[in-house]
Amino acid sequence: MASQASHIIWFRDFVPEARPLIGGKNASLGEMMRGGLRVPSGFALTTLAYDAFIEHAGLRPRIHAALGGLDPEDTAAVEEISRELRAQIESATLPHSVAEELRQSYAVLAEESRTPTPPVAVRSSATAEDMEGASFAGQQETYLWIQGAESLAYHALRCWSSLFTPQAITYRARMDFPLESISMSVGVQRMVDARVAGVMFTLNPLNGDPSKIVIEASWGLGLSVVGGEVTPDDYWVDKVTLTVIRRNICHKAIKYVPDPAGGGVSIVDVPEAAQAAPCLTDEEVVELASLGKALEVTCGSARDIEWAIDEVLPFPDNVL
């Protein structure tokens, strides 16, 4: 449920009317929860929290002055303005009301997970992603395995500052987006300690065939698949019969794992015996395909889905 000031909306309390406050990525998580799918618990810091922060820090006139007459083709000027705006945002403080709601919500996650500092993913969810004709994919940032309320607050600021990366500034200027449309929600979601992770397409990504589901998988957290650092295994499933009709097992030399000492994640070598081994069982593939099929029905169209297999939970609760 949204707080009185609508600074926090839990994914489990999502209603369609909240989409403008939490952006497309966070709304998708809420829709999946409404559809009864297994989604790790979390919440969105709304665009109203961003607006309150910008006003509290006195940044709005600085943003308008910096971007108002900017030539998007002047690369050096764009990069300099980006550095200045990002530094100003990341060195500012949250309004007390926003900081307190964020701290309390993180405490709820801690209680749910029975750990004092649960690791979370902190993800940008820009409202401009929902605009017709816009493509903001990859322009804002995500931070994984963030622990502690202070670190969470700082990484929320870093997400907001990623509204002003050089590529985001340039893209908006070229697309003639008004400065008043710039806003962002931040998603905070409990991390899964993934044995395996990857991406699922609820249609054939090569030719659009809707009768197939394609699952790409590799060891560890999903960054290696999303970032293209490994050639993942791929599994093809008939959407009607939910049978595995094809599998390609690839060499997977590295994986991302949590880094408890330094925070965040790190890259390690996959043990040699596992590098060329399948990372999913057929049982797990079919369970993933079932979830993908259900999500497609809930959303009314084909979807690309990030997923993970939890290291500890029993099957099928470990398929998230």
Side-chain angles (χ1 to χ4, degrees), residues 240-261:
V240 177
T241 63
L242 289 178
T243 55
V244 181
I245 56 176
R246 188 170 112 191
R247 57 180 68 75
N248 297 308
I249 308 305
C250 298
H251 187 265
K252 306 167 289 293
I254 59 122
K255 64 179 178 178
Y256 280 86
V257 296
D259 183 2

Side-chain angles (χ1 to χ4, degrees), residues 35-283:
L37 299 177
R38 289 192 292 273
V39 177
S41 183
F43 57 86
L45 194 60
T46 69
T47 56
L48 295 184
Y50 170 82
D51 293 339
F53 163 71
I54 292 295
E55 294 299 329
H56 173 77
L59 288 170
R60 197 171 301 280
R62 297 184 221 173
I63 292 170
H64 279 247
L67 300 181
L70 181 65
D71 177 4
E73 307 307 322
D74 188 342
T75 303
V78 170
E79 290 179 351
E80 178 62 25
I81 287 171
S82 172
R83 281 192 295 269
E84 291 176 359
L85 290 178
R86 298 197 73 180
Q88 290 171 10
I89 290 171
E90 292 176 19
S91 63
T93 58
L94 292 172
H96 175 75
S97 60
V98 176
E100 184 61 16
E101 288 180 61
L102 188 60
R103 185 194 66 78
Q104 291 177 358
S105 298
Y106 184 68
V108 172
L109 281 182
E111 185 176 350
E112 289 178 353
S113 59
R114 299 180 182 177
T115 179
T117 55
V120 294
V122 185
R123 302 179 185 273
S124 307
S125 184
T127 54
E129 293 168 342
D130 294 335
M131 292 183 176
E132 185 175 355
S135 178
F136 286 85
Q139 291 190 17
Q140 279 86 47
E141 293 174 5
T142 291
Y143 302 96
L144 300 181
W145 223 265
I146 303 305
Q147 292 182 271
E150 288 188 12
S151 183
L152 171 56
Y154 172 63
H155 284 88
L157 295 178
R158 293 188 72 185
C159 282
W160 282 336
S161 85
S162 71
L163 276 168
F164 303 100
T165 61
Q167 62 267 36
I169 291 172
T170 300
Y171 182 78
R172 284 194 301 266
R174 288 173 177 166
M175 295 291 290
D176 200 27
F177 282 115
L179 294 178
E180 291 74 20
S181 71
I182 301 174
S183 192
M184 179 182 283
S185 170
V186 176
V188 178
Q189 188 177 28
R190 183 178 61 80
M191 286 290 304
V192 175
D193 189 0
R195 174 178 58 83
V196 184
V199 180
M200 171 166 49
F201 306 90
T202 63
L203 50 67
N204 184 333
L206 301 180
N207 62 16
D209 179 0
S211 70
K212 304 295 186 294
I213 292 174
V214 180
I215 298 168
E216 297 182 346
S218 192
W219 301 113
L221 302 174
L223 285 171
S224 61
V225 176
V226 175
E229 294 169 86
V230 299
T231 301
D233 296 347
D234 62 81
Y235 303 83
W236 297 61
V237 181
D238 184 290
K239 192 184 291 182
V240 177
T241 63
L242 289 178
T243 55
V244 181
I245 56 176
R246 188 170 112 191
R247 57 180 68 75
N248 297 308
I249 308 305
C250 298
H251 187 265
K252 306 167 289 293
I254 59 122
K255 64 179 178 178
Y256 280 86
V257 296
D259 183 2
V265 299
S266 59
I267 300 175
V268 300
D269 292 332
V270 172
E272 188 172 350
Q275 290 182 7
C279 55
L280 288 176
T281 66
D282 281 4
E283 185 180 42

